[in-house]
Amino acid sequence: MIVSTKIHIPQGRNTLVSRSRLISKLNEGMNAKLTHISAQAGYGKTTALSEWVKQSSNRVAWVSLDKQDNDWIRFWRYFLASIQENIPGFGQAIGNVINNGPAGTLEPAMSVLLNELDHLSHELVIILDDYHVIELPSIHQSLTYLIEHLPSHIHLFIASRTDLMISTARLLAKGELHQVLMQDLRFQLEEGLAFFRETTELMLTKEQVTELHDQTEGWISGLQLAAISLKCSDNIAKTIQQFSGQQHHISDYLLEEVFHHLAEPIQSFLLETSILSRMNASLCQAVTGHLNGQKQLERLEQLNLFVIALDDQRNWYRYHHLLSDFLQQILFNTQPDKWIEVHTRAAKWLEDHGFEEEAVEHYIEGKQAKDAVRLIEKNLYTLVQSKSVFLIRWVSVLPEDSFADKPMIELFYISVLLGVGEWQAAFKRVEVATSRFQALRDSMDESEWKQIMGNIYFWCSVTAYLRKDLERTSAYFELVEQYIPEGSFFQTMGRNRYQGYELFDDHLSFINDLHAADAFLLKWISIWGHKKEYPFVGYLYASYSKLLYEWNRLDEAEEYINQVLGRKDMEPFARKLIQIAISASRIQQAKGNSQRAAELLIQLKRQISSPDYDLFMLRIEAEQAGLSLQRGSLEEALDWEQRCGLTPTDEVSMNRIAEYLTLARVIAMDGRTDEALQLLEALQHLLVREDRLRDQIKVIIMKSVMLQSSDQTEAALFQLETALHLAEPEGYIRSFVDEGPLMAEMLTTYLKIQQGNSLESDSLVSLSYVKKLLQSMNVNLEEELPSKDLLTEQETKVLQLIAKGLSNKQIAGSLSVTVETIKFHIKNIYRKLGVNNRVQALHQIKELV
């Protein structure tokens, strides 16, 4: 639910000091992409922005952020809603992309949003107020991406108490960052004088205002608090002299002074309602038990007591953060029972009015764990799908025994921890849950207990898989099969939503041991493959066909993928369909059926029916671009590059590895080899860190081919040897074969060099493996005779002197070089002639003459 007051511009008081200097400073932000308004609480950031908006003719979208917005989906929903409030119909295609959350890659969602913003024909200002409450890295990352690519007619204003946790160095260097700092926001003396003259009834002298201004250093809230306090003072001069110290000391002192001069009913109202992030008369009535909520709110506004109207009708209000923090501290420390009572009352009202997320927060603060768990259980599926940050926070602070009899909360909580990458925490929860639910066997219905244990064992299998322990994964699969032969609900949960990363979908991208994967996949295909309604097996078929493909067993790969290609139980699950169809397409391409390979990808596009359709299309179109390159159509691949949203200088992530590999190929084919190599270097660094062997090998192979194309043969062969060394133990074949004739040439050169090396035992790669690869590429391995033309002029002279029986020292003297140089030439001669000693070299040269 979108709370409309969060996307309305806060209403300031009518009696404001004119601040033309500050307004001009904010106007300058219209020449930048990002304007950062930065100062501690009480400097009037919100007031300044709302007044600037009133005086501006620009369209403005506003979001008042709070701690609950520290969730990727919620943050971007409000961001989108604020724009739609001003531009009805904007971004109708974006909602589903945002709802996918940060579990998928961030860039596609931002790319869709950027395209929509780019289509706007007018300038738009987007204001994010109180951004300091945002701590989630995925929000910072996506906002950074958005800002860097923001169209010139879109301007983002961010108000925050702290420095931004997003990268601004490039923006600053390019003049696209505008800063409004504390010194810009605080009152100048003239503004301080105007404030006391125009907004208070105090008759202060210029000297007294100057003293107050100096003591507060122009801090606006300090001056406002001082004005309220001085109204109650019998000795203004003496009271002014007591204002001293740092801002937080001044605020504490002044708030205390103001608070203690209020009537007891207003004090109680303030304390009891301070726990609310926003309030209206009805909510205040529910929390305080009094019927005069609206009258009290209006009274507070008249007293200038730091209450802010959130809408034009003045139905909804919030307290200034300085005041709410101060009041909450008093209430918590002095009336702990009242603290629990008002939170509980607030939670009940919020629940009754449909604000269930906020109700859970208040139930937890009010120590009402059962009610919190009840609402969590009611909204469990939604929380898992789109509000995982809340679920993690709530479950982590709730007492363990509050949901001990709620196994589905535990199971969903584990799924969320795994989904957000909190693997270690998930591993511990699985261990605890297994022991806990095993002990419940005698107290539960047998069939219900088996369902729970079957699901628990599925999560056990997942944790074993994440540890790359296929033996234990298989053992847990056996228990899943024993307890729930129909399969676990969690095996298909979320399988029609885009995730980006493929460690659970494309097993070979994660598991490095192909031989262990071979046995594992074949075993479970044989057990689950015959079941008519078991969509989970689709992943296994896809991965096994990829394994057979890599080992160049194309007919078998085609046979296995065909068994699952037309199965009806795969159709609702886009993530399975993509793995299956891409594998089938690559098999057909390898068998020379390029037309059929292309058709499979076209059919796949028609089969996808997912809220994340656009994101899945990015993955499929990258595959199509790669196929275009293999068919010799660079132009089609370059068209893809223009619309894919990727660049070689991106900060790469695991979410789009396959697409970045395609991008590297495209830009290399377009002659931008240095850019491609730079991208591959970044990918390799990431893949090494994440221990992803298959894609490491692919990257290194691509580097070797690009270097060879650039006539950097020595560097190319070094990379090739590295790839061969990593690939040989697992039997990789197609990763080399698919590179075509240039790879065959490189392997042939490498083989000749190794054959000429008398210390073959020191080689990183066996000659039999290189020969196997060449045979797979249909290269004739009948030994080609070396040519005497391979030798340089200097090497020919050395060989002639060898024929005369001269020693290395004598040859060096004859040619006026060092002995080490002669040794180097002799080594090259042996390598080029494919021999190991002088006699063989002389015999070989006679054969060539």
Side-chain angles (χ1 to χ4, degrees):
M1 176 188 294
I2 295 294
V3 179
S4 61
T5 53
K6 284 171 58 63
I7 56 175
H8 288 168
I9 299 165
Q11 298 300 304
R13 298 187 301 277
N14 293 326
T15 53
L16 287 170
V17 174
S18 175
R19 307 202 64 192
S20 57
R21 178 186 54 84
L22 179 56
I23 296 298
S24 296
K25 185 76 174 178
L26 289 169
N27 281 334
E28 292 172 16
M30 296 303 292
N31 299 317
K33 281 187 177 181
L34 172 63
T35 297
H36 181 208
I37 302 95
S38 174
Q40 286 300 312
Y43 273 94
K45 298 182 293 294
T46 301
T47 302
L49 281 169
S50 62
E51 184 62 22
W52 176 70
V53 169
K54 285 181 184 178
Q55 299 183 31
S56 170
S57 60
N58 295 303
R59 293 197 186 194
V60 176
W62 183 296
V63 185
S64 296
L65 297 165
D66 57 50
K67 65 179 182 180
Q68 293 206 36
D69 298 315
N70 195 39
D71 172 87
W72 196 92
I73 294 175
R74 181 182 170 102
F75 177 90
W76 287 108
R77 277 181 179 169
Y78 272 102
F79 190 98
L80 179 60
S82 70
I83 301 173
Q84 292 171 335
E85 179 79 2
N86 290 270
I87 308 170
F90 175 87
Q92 293 181 344
I94 304 173
N96 287 328
V97 180
I98 289 175
N99 289 339
N100 184 58
T105 181
L106 305 175
E107 293 92 339
M110 295 302 97
S111 296
V112 175
L113 178 55
L114 284 164
N115 286 337
E116 292 282 339
L117 290 170
D118 192 44
H119 290 150
L120 295 179
S121 58
H122 50 75
E123 286 196 305
L124 175 67
V125 174
I126 304 169
I127 296 176
L128 301 178
D129 195 18
D130 288 333
Y131 187 79
H132 54 268
V133 300
I134 302 301
E135 300 173 345
L136 202 64
S138 59
I139 296 178
H140 298 319
Q141 291 163 13
S142 51
L143 190 62
T144 299
Y145 184 89
L146 181 84
I147 293 170
E148 286 182 351
H149 298 86
L150 208 59
S152 59
H153 60 287
I154 309 298
H155 309 280
L156 184 62
F157 283 62
I158 297 180
S160 172
R161 296 183 193 175
T162 59
D163 290 339
L164 293 177
M165 298 299 291
I166 60 178
S167 176
T168 58
R170 278 194 284 186
L171 292 172
L172 190 60
K174 292 159 67 175
E176 296 175 339
L177 171 64
H178 180 56
Q179 294 177 303
V180 180
L181 304 176
M182 183 177 68
Q183 57 265 34
D184 302 307
L185 289 161
R186 62 188 175 196
F187 275 172
Q188 300 296 307
L189 177 58
E190 294 76 14
E191 292 169 326
L193 289 166
F195 167 75
F196 280 99
R197 183 176 63 249
E198 298 171 12
T199 68
T200 75
E201 297 175 358
L202 296 166
M203 303 300 291
L204 302 183
T205 67
K206 182 176 181 180
E207 289 73 21
Q208 288 173 326
V209 174
T210 301
E211 187 173 353
L212 282 172
H213 179 271
D214 291 345
Q215 287 171 339
T216 59
E217 296 182 345
W219 181 42
I220 298 171
S221 290
L223 292 171
Q224 290 173 325
L225 284 166
I228 297 169
S229 178
L230 289 171
K231 285 181 182 178
C232 307
S233 174
D234 294 328
N235 190 330
I236 287 179
K238 185 177 180 180
T239 302
I240 290 174
Q241 289 175 357
Q242 293 173 335
F243 298 162
S244 62
Q246 299 298 313
Q247 287 174 4
H248 67 276
H249 294 140
I250 295 174
S251 66
D252 287 348
Y253 168 74
L254 291 175
L255 283 167
E256 219 167 289
E257 284 289 304
V258 170
F259 182 72
H260 287 304
H261 280 91
L262 295 172
E264 192 280 331
I266 294 182
Q267 285 186 352
S268 296
F269 181 86
L270 284 168
L271 288 172
E272 292 172 13
T273 56
S274 67
I275 64 162
L276 303 171
S277 59
R278 66 185 189 286
M279 53 199 164
N280 62 10
S282 175
L283 178 52
C284 290
Q285 177 180 327
V287 169
T288 64
H290 299 298
L291 300 177
N292 61 345
Q294 186 64 31
K295 189 176 293 185
Q296 290 282 42
L297 289 170
E298 291 173 1
R299 175 64 177 152
L300 292 175
E301 192 174 15
Q302 290 167 3
L303 291 172
N304 289 341
L305 269 180
F306 281 48
V307 61
I308 301 166
L310 297 177
D311 55 17
D312 295 333
Q313 294 75 35
R314 281 173 156 67
N315 292 324
W316 285 91
Y317 293 82
R318 74 167 174 86
Y319 291 128
H320 192 288
H321 302 304
L322 280 173
L323 180 61
S324 61
D325 291 347
F326 171 79
L327 294 170
Q328 286 180 37
Q329 189 175 11
I330 293 176
L331 182 63
F332 183 81
N333 291 333
T334 63
Q335 301 182 56
D337 291 339
K338 178 64 73 173
W339 175 270
I340 291 173
E341 180 186 340
V342 294
H343 273 293
T344 304
R345 288 178 176 178
K348 288 178 179 176
W349 187 95
L350 289 163
E351 181 182 356
D352 290 343
H353 289 78
F355 303 107
E356 294 185 341
E357 293 164 21
E358 293 172 70
V360 172
E361 299 277 1
H362 285 287
Y363 276 133
I364 290 173
E365 286 290 341
K367 309 297 183 187
Q368 307 302 309
K370 286 188 177 179
D371 285 311
V373 168
R374 173 176 53 79
L375 283 186
I376 290 171
E377 190 174 34
K378 175 184 174 183
N379 297 287
L380 199 52
Y381 189 76
T382 300
L383 289 168
V384 170
Q385 291 295 320
S386 60
K387 301 185 183 299
S388 56
V389 173
F390 293 136
L391 183 60
I392 290 174
R393 186 174 75 244
W394 293 338
V395 174
S396 64
V397 298
L398 283 166
E400 290 282 344
D401 59 1
S402 64
F403 54 92
D405 59 343
K406 306 288 185 183
M408 290 310 289
I409 289 182
E410 185 69 67
L411 292 169
F412 273 93
Y413 182 49
I414 290 168
S415 77
V416 167
L417 288 172
L418 291 168
V420 298
E422 296 285 345
W423 290 3
Q424 294 304 318
F427 295 164
K428 291 177 182 176
R429 300 294 301 200
V430 168
E431 290 176 11
V432 171
T434 303
S435 300
R436 181 193 301 166
F437 294 127
Q438 281 174 338
L440 293 176
R441 180 168 192 171
D442 296 334
S443 60
M444 293 183 67
D445 175 76
E446 179 73 10
S447 61
E448 182 184 356
W449 180 79
K450 283 187 172 181
Q451 277 288 323
I452 292 169
M453 290 311 301
N455 283 300
I456 281 286
Y457 287 133
F458 172 71
W459 288 124
C460 288
S461 74
V462 170
T463 61
Y465 173 80
L466 291 173
R467 291 181 168 112
K468 303 194 177 187
D469 186 344
L470 292 183
E471 189 174 338
R472 287 189 68 194
T473 303
S474 190
Y476 283 123
F477 273 179
E478 289 172 3
L479 291 170
V480 173
E481 179 68 8
Q482 176 185 335
Y483 285 94
I484 44 174
E486 71 280 9
S488 167
F489 160 78
F490 294 101
Q491 287 177 319
T492 55
M493 185 182 73
R495 304 302 187 183
N496 199 37
R497 303 305 302 271
Y498 184 84
Q499 293 293 331
Y501 55 83
E502 298 183 335
L503 74 164
F504 293 117
D505 302 352
D506 180 4
H507 302 98
L508 302 189
S509 73
F510 184 70
I511 298 298
N512 296 340
D513 187 342
L514 298 192
H515 304 291
D518 178 30
F520 172 81
L521 293 168
L522 193 55
K523 172 182 177 177
W524 288 102
I525 286 173
S526 65
I527 293 173
W528 289 333
H530 68 279
K531 297 185 179 186
K532 291 186 177 179
E533 289 294 329
Y534 209 90
F536 184 70
V537 78
Y539 292 123
L540 308 186
Y541 272 108
S543 291
Y544 192 56
S545 69
K546 292 174 187 176
L547 177 57
L548 293 170
Y549 174 90
E550 185 58 57
W551 285 346
N552 206 30
R553 292 156 59 180
L554 298 182
D555 290 339
E556 294 174 77
E558 184 178 27
E559 179 185 342
Y560 273 94
I561 205 65
N562 283 345
Q563 290 179 38
V564 74
L565 200 54
R567 279 181 57 151
K568 294 294 182 185
D569 55 341
M570 303 294 137
E571 289 181 3
F573 304 107
R575 282 166 57 189
K576 292 182 179 67
L577 292 173
I578 277 194
Q579 296 300 324
I580 292 166
I582 285 178
S583 179
S585 175
R586 291 180 180 178
I587 291 166
Q588 291 305 314
Q589 179 66 16
K591 297 189 79 172
N593 303 323
S594 59
Q595 188 61 38
R596 176 59 179 155
E599 288 171 359
L600 284 165
L601 297 178
I602 294 170
Q603 289 173 12
L604 174 61
K605 282 186 167 183
R606 291 198 293 263
Q607 287 178 291
I608 300 296
S609 178
S610 165
D612 304 322
Y613 177 86
D614 291 338
L615 297 178
F616 284 116
M617 289 305 107
L618 293 174
R619 176 69 182 88
I620 298 169
E621 287 173 3
E623 191 69 21
Q624 288 179 310
L627 193 58
S628 295
L629 282 182
Q630 292 186 57
R631 297 166 69 180
S633 180
L634 177 59
E635 187 175 345
E636 289 179 7
L638 290 173
D639 286 343
W640 167 80
E641 184 199 356
Q642 292 301 312
R643 63 178 187 274
C644 72
L646 306 178
T647 70
T649 57
D650 290 345
E651 186 175 339
V652 296
S653 66
M654 292 301 301
N655 296 325
R656 303 185 77 178
I657 290 293
E659 292 160 65
Y660 277 117
L661 289 174
T662 301
L663 178 65
R665 290 188 186 278
V666 172
I667 61 179
M669 288 293 290
D670 192 40
R672 292 171 279 157
T673 307
D674 289 344
E675 291 180 55
L677 287 169
Q678 181 183 354
L679 173 56
L680 291 175
E681 197 67 36
L683 289 170
Q684 185 177 353
H685 180 77
L686 174 63
L687 292 164
V688 169
R689 189 182 72 209
E690 296 293 329
D691 189 28
R692 303 299 177 85
L693 181 63
R694 184 195 68 183
D695 292 333
Q696 279 183 58
I697 291 169
K698 288 182 181 296
V699 165
I700 298 169
I701 289 172
M702 289 172 63
K703 285 170 67 178
S704 71
V705 171
M706 290 177 194
L707 288 166
Q708 181 68 18
S709 299
S710 303
D711 295 325
Q712 300 179 58
T713 302
E714 187 174 347
L717 293 178
F718 175 79
Q719 293 292 335
L720 176 62
E721 184 172 57
T722 303
L724 290 167
H725 175 62
L726 292 172
E728 182 176 7
E730 306 308 322
Y732 280 84
I733 297 177
R734 288 302 312 187
S735 290
F736 295 93
V737 172
D738 289 342
E739 297 297 329
L742 187 56
M743 176 55 68
E745 178 185 323
M746 293 170 66
L747 287 168
T748 301
T749 301
Y750 181 81
L751 179 63
K752 288 179 180 179
I753 292 172
Q754 293 305 313
Q755 284 176 330
N757 184 358
S758 60
L759 299 175
E760 184 181 334
S761 59
D762 292 342
S763 175
L764 295 174
V765 184
S766 71
L767 296 185
S768 60
Y769 179 53
V770 181
K771 290 177 180 178
K772 183 177 181 179
L773 293 175
L774 286 167
Q775 287 169 345
S776 300
M777 302 176 82
N778 299 316
V779 174
N780 185 356
L781 287 178
E782 291 183 9
E783 187 174 359
E784 298 177 20
L785 290 176
S787 168
K788 62 184 172 86
D789 295 331
L790 287 173
L791 302 182
T792 66
E793 182 180 350
Q794 189 76 337
E795 287 165 353
T796 302
K797 290 178 181 178
V798 170
L799 191 57
Q800 290 170 345
L801 294 173
I802 287 175
K804 294 179 179 179
L806 273 62
S807 67
N808 288 353
K809 186 175 181 180
Q810 291 170 325
I811 296 172
S814 177
L815 297 178
S816 301
V817 296
T818 65
V819 173
E820 291 304 315
T821 301
I822 296 304
K823 288 181 179 179
F824 175 78
H825 286 314
I826 291 174
K827 184 178 179 181
N828 281 341
I829 292 168
Y830 289 173
R831 175 175 58 80
K832 292 179 179 181
L833 296 179
V835 299
N836 296 317
N837 55 51
R838 291 185 171 212
V839 174
Q840 291 176 349
L842 293 171
H843 177 75
Q844 184 68 270
I845 204 68
K846 287 178 182 177
E847 295 289 328
L848 297 176
V849 175

